[in-house]
Amino acid sequence: MTALDLSSPVAVVGTGTMGQGIAQVALVAGHPVRLYDAVAGRAQDAAAAIVARLDRLVEKGRLAAADRDTARARLTPVESLADLADCALVVEAVLERLDVKQELFGELETIVPEDCLLATNTSSLSVTAIGGALRRPGRFVGLHFFNPAPLMPLVEVVSGFATDVTSATRAYETARAWGKTPVACADTPGFIVNRIARPFYAEAFAVYEAQAADPATIDAVLRESGGFRMGAFELTDLIGQDVNESVTHSVWQAFFQDVRFTPSLAQRRLVESGRLGRKTGHGWYDHTEGAERPEPHTADKEQPPAYVIAEGGLGPAAELLTLIREAGIRVREDDEDNGTRLVLPSGGQLVLADGQTSAEFRDVVYFDLALDYRAATRIALSAAQDTSPQTLAEATGLFQALGKDVSVIGDVPGMIVARTVARIIDLAHDAVAKGVATEEDIDTAMRLGVNYPLGPFEWDRKLGRDFSFDVLDEMHERDPSGRYAPSLALYRHAYAVEDKREGTS
């Protein structure tokens, strides 16, 4: 099954931001495009807005004037659904209400040809449920574009329970012919991106609610240590707190209030107060003109230790040993111990975040996971109230000697980056095990859809297959609500390591 022929008319119903964006993508690809909106005059306004954007592309040298002119000639605002009778594809981008969408597609089904592909751009509703009211749901599919549609490369091609393989394939190939990167996905709450991305927000909010760190510090650690383009607080201010919370709530409800997707009370209060982010001038941060951005907590300068003793190989943080030596600090390695820690001159220990807390041990400082310890510009440390000040000072001075800013946060299990990445990896394994998507498509979706530095499975291979399981298993022991319980898929993955198997022949 191949992509739609460029001579085939494409219709977009609903002419808001997403509808206009999708129409522009189809138009620039070469299709005749029809625009329809139930509100009189909106389709004409949307057509004018699309042409204005094409004009700007010409001004910037990104589109030839001749191509702009031919595209403009192919764009037609219409006043009735009946004007879509010869379309080969209709993409809906109307209000996110099941009854509204079902009624629309029920009417379209009586108008368009039998071979017309019907698609919804829903981000939160069930594709199966929308198509369930149709006489021929086999031709119904989800085409979830990301905002802004002309710029974002990812399209989730979602197969409902009754979607024919030929329909999903044609939608997939059409999206690819439009210059997009499609990924195939089963109809599951949140599809790929909005399902697997929930911990990025949830764990940042949980650390904040535990009063372990402020938003500016958490965001800085996620960016400067985790390698994420934006932190959770600044990103939700950009998205809109109401929009982000609505997606979280929708996924949570669709999974029968699964504790792994529980919304944040702190974010609820933000929404209730009307502080929705940039669009209202205030969210987690103050966005009013002239407002100063709060600075992350950064520790004062401390003296580095003269030496460290490395017990074990430090696992995913092994690169630190090279960096410490390059900084002129002596490293003595003790391979007899199976642990992964650094012993400081004070006798205290510096340990990679593992889901446990400093309060459980004598004189332990935890350090957070980093995407790349050499490139990281900030490292988070956590310590208990009774941790020796000398141990914390030596740990701080050590990372400062490596050229890192240091943020000291509260004693929370899994810290910030480690718990976030572990949960993302867990949800990704769970999704594959349940047939939602392939590992490759999940990695692609998370890199292109939300700009993660690595896909979940790329993170997993980098960290070692048991890292995430061990972090979550320890966190589950400390919070037995089920929020951090490793999935069966992650359990199987972790224990597939040969040297961890017991009782095998």
Side-chain angles (χ1 to χ4, degrees), residues 213-228 231 234 285 293-301 317 320 323 352 366-382 395-396 398-409 415-418 459:
D214 60 276
T217 299
I218 297 169
D219 278 353
V221 172
L222 285 169
R223 288 193 315 269
E224 299 174 41
S225 184
F228 293 95
E234 57 190 342
Y285 298 107
R293 181 69 173 265
E295 293 294 325
H297 167 77
T298 302
D300 293 336
K301 186 71 175 176
L320 281 177
L323 300 180
L352 175 62
Y366 276 102
F367 66 95
D368 207 353
L369 180 67
L371 171 68
D372 180 337
Y373 282 98
R374 182 178 292 276
T377 57
R378 183 177 299 272
I379 294 292
L381 302 179
S382 66
T396 300
L398 175 64
F399 281 104
Q400 289 173 339
L402 307 186
K404 319 298 182 187
D405 288 329
V406 173
S407 292
V408 180
I409 69 170
M415 301 192 68
I416 297 171
V417 180
W459 266 109

Side-chain angles (χ1 to χ4, degrees), residues 10-24 34-39 42 46 81 84 89-97 100-102 104-105 108 118-123 125 130 140-147 149:
V10 171
V12 177
V13 178
T15 58
T17 301
M18 284 304 302
Q20 291 181 32
I22 295 167
Q24 181 178 331
R34 314 278 172 76
L35 287 175
Y36 172 79
D37 198 290
V39 178
R42 282 193 179 172
L81 286 177
L84 311 182
L89 167 64
V90 180
V91 183
E92 163 273 316
V94 303
L95 188 66
E96 283 287 273
R97 273 181 45 186
V100 172
K101 294 179 188 289
Q102 286 180 327
L104 169 64
F105 282 110
L108 282 169
L118 299 177
T120 175
N121 184 59
T122 186
S123 62
L125 298 176
I130 298 171
F140 187 74
V141 66
L143 274 178
H144 181 215
F145 289 78
F146 289 74
N147 194 29

Side-chain angles (χ1 to χ4, degrees), residues 200-221:
F200 180 74
Y201 313 107
E203 294 313 307
F205 297 162
V207 172
Y208 168 77
E209 290 173 336
Q211 300 186 53
D214 60 276
T217 299
I218 297 169
D219 278 353
V221 172

Side-chain angles (χ1 to χ4, degrees), residues 337-379:
D337 195 289
N338 291 323
T340 53
R341 63 181 67 87
L342 294 174
V343 180
L344 301 165
S346 64
Q349 298 177 14
L350 188 56
V351 182
L352 175 62
D354 59 6
Q356 302 182 83
T357 62
S358 295
E360 301 167 51
F361 305 98
R362 181 180 178 277
D363 226 12
V364 166
V365 172
Y366 276 102
F367 66 95
D368 207 353
L369 180 67
L371 171 68
D372 180 337
Y373 282 98
R374 182 178 292 276
T377 57
R378 183 177 299 272
I379 294 292

Side-chain angles (χ1 to χ4, degrees), residues 403-456:
K404 319 298 182 187
D405 288 329
V406 173
S407 292
V408 180
I409 69 170
D411 188 20
V412 288
M415 301 192 68
I416 297 171
V417 180
R419 70 195 285 167
T420 299
V421 170
R423 287 209 59 216
I424 288 170
I425 290 172
D426 181 50
L427 290 186
H429 277 283
D430 185 54
V432 170
K434 292 177 178 173
V436 172
T438 64
E439 291 187 7
E440 181 180 2
D441 275 357
I442 288 175
D443 276 351
T444 298
M446 301 314 290
R447 281 189 281 101
L448 298 184
V450 277
N451 291 313
Y452 283 3
L454 295 175

Side-chain angles (χ1 to χ4, degrees), residues 59-197:
E59 292 170 3
K60 295 176 181 178
R62 298 177 183 173
L63 183 68
D67 291 338
R68 182 267 319 274
D69 294 340
T70 57
R72 182 166 52 195
R74 293 194 304 270
L75 181 61
T76 308
V78 300
E79 297 181 358
S80 169
L81 286 177
D83 295 320
L84 311 182
D86 63 341
C87 288
L89 167 64
V90 180
V91 183
E92 163 273 316
V94 303
L95 188 66
E96 283 287 273
R97 273 181 45 186
L98 180 61
D99 59 336
V100 172
K101 294 179 188 289
Q102 286 180 327
E103 182 179 353
L104 169 64
F105 282 110
E107 189 173 354
L108 282 169
E109 194 174 35
T110 67
I111 296 171
V112 299
E114 290 290 309
D115 61 349
C116 176
L117 194 61
L118 299 177
T120 175
N121 184 59
T122 186
S123 62
S124 60
L125 298 176
S126 164
V127 171
T128 300
I130 298 171
L134 297 177
R135 296 192 316 273
R136 297 183 59 244
R139 62 169 166 172
F140 187 74
V141 66
L143 274 178
H144 181 215
F145 289 78
F146 289 74
N147 194 29
L151 298 180
M152 294 294 283
L154 184 71
V155 177
E156 292 177 319
V157 180
V158 186
S159 293
F161 187 77
T163 302
D164 292 336
V165 172
T166 53
S167 298
T169 303
R170 170 157 285 185
Y172 184 99
E173 293 301 333
T174 297
R176 182 154 61 182
W178 290 358
K180 297 301 180 182
T181 303
V183 291
C185 175
D187 185 22
T188 183
F191 309 143
I192 298 175
V193 172
N194 281 329
R195 171 178 177 152
I196 295 173

